[in-house]
Amino acid sequence: MSLRVYNTLSGKKEEFQPLVPGKVGMYVCGVTVYDFCHIGHARANIVFDIVYRYLQYSNYDVTYVRNYTDVDDKIINRANQQGISSKQLAEEFIQAFDEDMEALGLRKPTHEPKATEYIDRIIVLAKQLIEKGMAYESAGDVYYSVEKFPTYLKLSKRNMEEMQAGARIAPGEQKRNPMDFALWKAAKPGEPSWESPWGPGRPGWHIECSAMSSALLGETFDIHGGGRDLIFPHHENEIAQSEGISGKPFVKYWLHNGFVNINQEKMSKSLGNFFTIRDILKSYNPEVVRFFILTAHYRSPVDFSDQNLKEAQAGLSRFYEALQLAAEAVEGVPESEVAAQEGAELEAQFRAAMDDDFNTAQAIGHLFEGVRTINRLVAEKKFRKKADKVASVRALREKIAELGDVLGLFVSDPAGWLKQQNLKGLQALGLTETDLDAAIQERLEARGNKDFARADQIRDELVQKGIELLDSPAGTTWKIK
């Protein structure tokens, strides 16, 4: 099966055929750097990190561009409030963004351009649109005339007449049509500005991405990604600008991720349900957040809640428990010449899921089947003497780790991960590892004295607190239920 992707432009899944065989050009809209990133930013960036990783895993040479919008009204207003320059504020939040993305395990894109690095190109593009009669200057501003682009709204499938009826021209704007949008904005007092043929000013938001993507990927490229909220007006306007200049299709495949809800409500600062990535990572390991996001298909909405994160943490722990169990089960057992098919079968299932529009939820489901198989095989009597079973467990363990890396998962040492989660769980229960070790030792002494009633009582008391004891020939271990 070849890779198929859902193209927002056509409204259907299409076979993925890049413009140049073996190579992929991908542009994803980055953040406007005026504040810390929230869980919605986490989802969008993790989603396209997976697209990037899977294309690389599929042996494509990927040029991945993700930009920073570092000049914007929000940046200017926030900088003025803080009494610092827009550049200083933007640099601070670029660094914060980079730290957040590194914590979430994202691979670095090929290019991370800043809008302010492309001012000259933005001016050139605006001039070209004016020369083609598709844009006009008005009191130092430059506007794109949407009426000059017959296929405007082809991405969002909106109705132009209905939108025009509801559109208004804001005070200070001198547009010919309320739907027209700014390519260049005349400078206002206290704002950063650059010289242009229309006087000092700064770029509009939409033209920035057209300038950066065309400079780094060409007039037409393979994939453009972003959140559903960017379909209109941002991506619609990018198409109008770019195709208005080149006369060529701007992007072949448009991919958009779904929204994040908070406890089944839309995330909003006014509702008080707005969570930054940094807030969340105070309570949850970054890999738990990543796992949670990938257990839903990228186009579906996801409901972010404490309960759902706890379930994701439990699910991720199941993988680490199986990987640790498999490592211990095969340790010291010589490798045999017995061929195991389970690893190849698991990879085929994983690829089939990912080839179906990057269906990470289904892919993780197949990996869970691998976990169940490991647990079943290791539980068999005299497992270590069965060469075929040992070979199967080895193959599954290696393949789960390999495929997990495609998703950016299972990157920690299993024993270390499990210990960290257990210690965090103990802390939440108001206990220390010393307290638990003392209880385990008391139980061990009770069993040695054949006081099984006391030993069972200690076990039951711990179970009531959410702690499960695991007895084995090597001793007693524990985990948070």
Side-chain angles (χ1 to χ4, degrees):
M1 178 180 174
S2 59
L3 174 62
R4 293 174 62 79
V5 301
Y6 183 87
N7 189 350
T8 306
L9 187 60
S10 66
K12 62 184 181 182
K13 288 182 186 177
E14 300 176 12
E15 183 176 353
F16 181 68
Q17 295 182 326
L19 297 164
V20 178
K23 295 182 179 293
V24 176
M26 180 169 81
Y27 185 93
V28 174
C29 288
V31 290
T32 300
V33 283
Y34 73 102
D35 205 345
F36 292 111
C37 290
H38 54 66
I39 186 62
H41 295 127
R43 186 184 196 194
N45 283 284
I46 288 171
V47 161
F48 290 102
D49 181 59
I50 294 303
V51 173
Y52 183 32
R53 285 168 176 265
Y54 187 65
L55 290 172
Q56 290 181 318
Y57 183 68
S58 301
N59 296 318
Y60 286 106
D61 178 8
V62 186
T63 301
Y64 176 20
V65 181
R66 185 186 65 209
N67 76 294
Y68 298 106
T69 293
D70 62 340
V71 56
D72 177 87
D73 289 342
K74 293 176 180 177
I75 297 171
I76 294 166
N77 294 337
R78 180 67 60 85
N80 288 340
Q81 290 169 8
Q82 296 186 11
I84 60 176
S85 70
S86 296
K87 179 173 180 168
Q88 183 180 343
L89 183 87
E91 289 297 332
E92 287 178 5
F93 284 111
I94 286 173
Q95 181 177 342
F97 173 87
D98 289 346
E99 290 168 356
D100 288 345
M101 295 307 109
E102 184 178 0
L104 291 171
L106 272 69
R107 288 182 182 170
K108 293 286 281 184
T110 317
H111 303 286
E112 295 180 280
K114 301 172 186 174
T116 55
E117 298 170 342
Y118 287 79
I119 298 295
D120 290 346
R121 182 169 179 79
I122 288 167
I123 291 170
V124 167
L125 296 185
K127 285 174 64 178
Q128 289 177 342
L129 287 167
I130 291 174
E131 290 165 2
K132 286 175 173 284
M134 304 193 77
Y136 57 92
E137 186 267 342
S138 176
D141 296 331
V142 178
Y143 292 102
Y144 186 96
S145 179
V146 297
E147 292 178 338
K148 299 297 179 67
F149 190 67
T151 58
Y152 189 64
L153 302 180
K154 64 183 176 181
L155 184 68
S156 59
K157 316 291 192 297
R158 298 190 176 201
N159 182 287
M160 175 66 90
E161 292 181 0
E162 291 178 0
M163 295 197 69
Q164 285 179 319
R168 297 289 183 271
I169 297 177
E173 292 182 328
Q174 299 186 48
K175 302 179 184 180
R176 296 174 183 172
N177 182 319
M179 292 293 293
D180 293 350
F181 57 90
L183 302 175
W184 187 261
K185 297 181 179 183
K188 296 176 183 176
E191 289 187 351
S193 63
W194 291 262
E195 289 301 320
S196 79
W198 318 286
R202 59 185 174 87
W205 176 32
H206 314 297
I207 193 69
E208 297 172 0
C209 287
S210 290
M212 289 181 277
S213 64
S214 61
L216 295 168
L217 296 173
E219 292 177 324
T220 304
F221 54 93
D222 298 296
I223 295 174
H224 196 316
R228 287 188 57 81
D229 56 314
L230 296 180
I231 295 174
F232 183 87
H234 187 49
H235 289 168
E236 199 75 73
N237 292 350
E238 279 188 66
I239 292 173
Q241 297 161 165
S242 301
E243 296 186 1
I245 292 168
S246 71
K248 302 173 184 176
F250 177 40
V251 171
K252 194 169 183 183
Y253 305 99
W254 286 89
L255 276 60
H256 293 95
N257 64 275
F259 294 117
V260 175
N261 296 322
I262 308 292
N263 294 316
Q264 301 182 349
E265 286 188 307
K266 183 178 179 181
M267 182 171 63
S268 166
K269 286 185 177 179
S270 62
L271 293 175
N273 64 355
F274 181 89
F275 296 101
T276 68
I277 294 171
R278 296 185 172 209
D279 290 336
I280 296 159
L281 297 188
K282 290 174 184 175
S283 302
Y284 293 95
N285 185 289
E287 199 174 338
V288 171
V289 177
R290 189 180 186 96
F291 186 82
F292 160 72
I293 286 170
L294 298 183
T295 51
H297 189 278
Y298 78 89
R299 285 190 287 113
S300 303
V302 295
D303 187 44
F304 183 86
S305 68
D306 235 9
Q307 180 60 36
N308 288 343
L309 275 180
K310 286 176 181 175
E311 290 176 4
Q313 182 169 287
L316 188 56
S317 291
R318 282 179 60 196
F319 277 101
Y320 276 115
E321 286 166 2
L323 292 170
Q324 179 69 6
L325 176 67
E328 292 172 352
V330 303
E331 186 177 8
V333 181
E335 291 199 33
S336 68
E337 296 182 1
V338 176
Q341 299 299 316
E342 286 86 352
E345 291 169 359
L346 181 58
E347 180 177 345
Q349 293 170 331
F350 178 89
R351 283 186 177 275
M354 294 297 287
D355 282 344
D356 184 14
D357 194 30
F358 308 102
N359 194 333
T360 56
Q362 194 175 81
I364 288 173
H366 290 311
L367 296 181
F368 264 125
E369 286 297 328
V371 163
R372 283 188 276 271
T373 302
I374 287 174
N375 292 336
R376 176 177 55 79
L377 291 174
V378 173
E380 291 186 10
K381 289 183 178 179
K382 298 183 179 180
F383 160 76
R384 292 166 68 90
K385 292 185 177 181
K386 300 173 182 177
D388 58 334
K389 309 295 186 186
V390 172
S392 294
V393 167
R394 268 204 177 99
L396 284 170
R397 174 175 170 267
E398 291 171 1
K399 190 56 66 174
I400 288 172
E402 175 191 320
L403 299 176
D405 185 62
V406 179
L407 302 177
L409 297 173
F410 324 139
V411 295
S412 301
D413 169 64
W417 161 271
L418 294 169
K419 183 171 183 179
Q420 180 194 50
Q421 296 305 305
N422 283 332
L423 291 176
K424 286 179 70 174
L426 269 188
Q427 185 179 14
L429 293 171
L431 297 173
T432 66
E433 196 171 14
T434 302
D435 297 331
L436 191 53
D437 287 343
I440 290 172
Q441 183 60 33
E442 184 184 351
R443 177 173 175 266
L444 181 64
E445 291 172 358
R447 293 176 74 182
N449 295 329
K450 299 190 184 304
D451 186 356
F452 298 114
R454 176 57 183 155
D456 290 344
Q457 182 185 9
I458 293 170
R459 174 191 284 275
D460 293 342
E461 287 173 354
L462 291 173
V463 167
Q464 288 175 5
K465 292 177 180 178
I467 300 167
E468 181 180 357
L469 297 183
L470 307 168
D471 295 318
S472 73
T476 299
T477 57
W478 58 275
K479 70 175 184 177
I480 301 296
K481 292 181 66 176

